[in-house]
Amino acid sequence: MREILGRRRRLLSRRNDERDDGRPDLISAALTFATEWRWPVLPGVAPDPQGRARCACPDPECAAPGAHPFDPGLLAATTDARMVRWWWTNRPGAPIVLATGGNAPCAVSLPALAAARALGALDRRGMRLGPVVASPTRWAILVKPYSMEQLGELLYAKDFVPGSLRFHGEGGYLALPPSETGQGAIRWERAPLPGSASPWVPDVEAVVDAVVDALTRTGVSAPEL
């Protein structure tokens, strides 16, 4: 049943992320995040048009090309419809960046291959997950907001935590679908179900416990990426 539900969510995400001409409707998605779900967003810096694997920001060695804020900075993230509409009217191809933490979801991310195997293991155990954001290299599981103190205590209690896990908490950010970045398209691996005011997300403790256990039990080696 969960597998069927997951397929339905992926099909819905493809339909909702495309306009009639097949192009991603970024302004519509940004307005949904900001005004319906109350997630603060802002436009990310675009990939370099001369080479999509490079970033248009001044850093020639940018580790997240096209998938991070630059101008405006992260503190400008907002849920104001007028500001969101103005940004994407003037920058229609800009990636959508979520400012994580506060009243917005946080995220736990890991390399794509390890994430796919971990999610499969969690599905077989019947664990409930919320939306999962996927890029070609990493997947991010959205979780409820957490403090750095809460995360520190959680990780300290673990005997082992894969070094490839990354945590997008207060003061962090995450590119959302249907953005295009230097690393490729951002999509929903598990799309939010339509019709709700704001998607349900699990606690960070449940996700970290389950992911670490799944990676350990399946013998998946999650390399540093």
Side-chain angles (χ1 to χ4, degrees), residues 8-25:
R8 177 169 172 262
R9 291 166 70 177
R10 285 193 287 273
L11 288 172
L12 286 168
S13 72
R14 290 173 191 151
R15 293 173 188 164
N16 293 338
D17 286 350
E18 291 186 353
R19 302 185 303 197
D20 291 340
D21 60 3
R23 294 170 54 200
D25 191 355

Side-chain angles (χ1 to χ4, degrees), residues 107-140:
V108 177
S109 70
L110 63 162
L113 177 59
R117 293 178 179 174
L119 261 62
L122 300 185
D123 284 344
R124 289 190 291 274
R125 290 168 51 180
M127 180 176 174
R128 182 185 181 190
L129 291 176
V132 178
V133 176
S135 76
T137 57
R138 296 187 71 84
W139 292 7

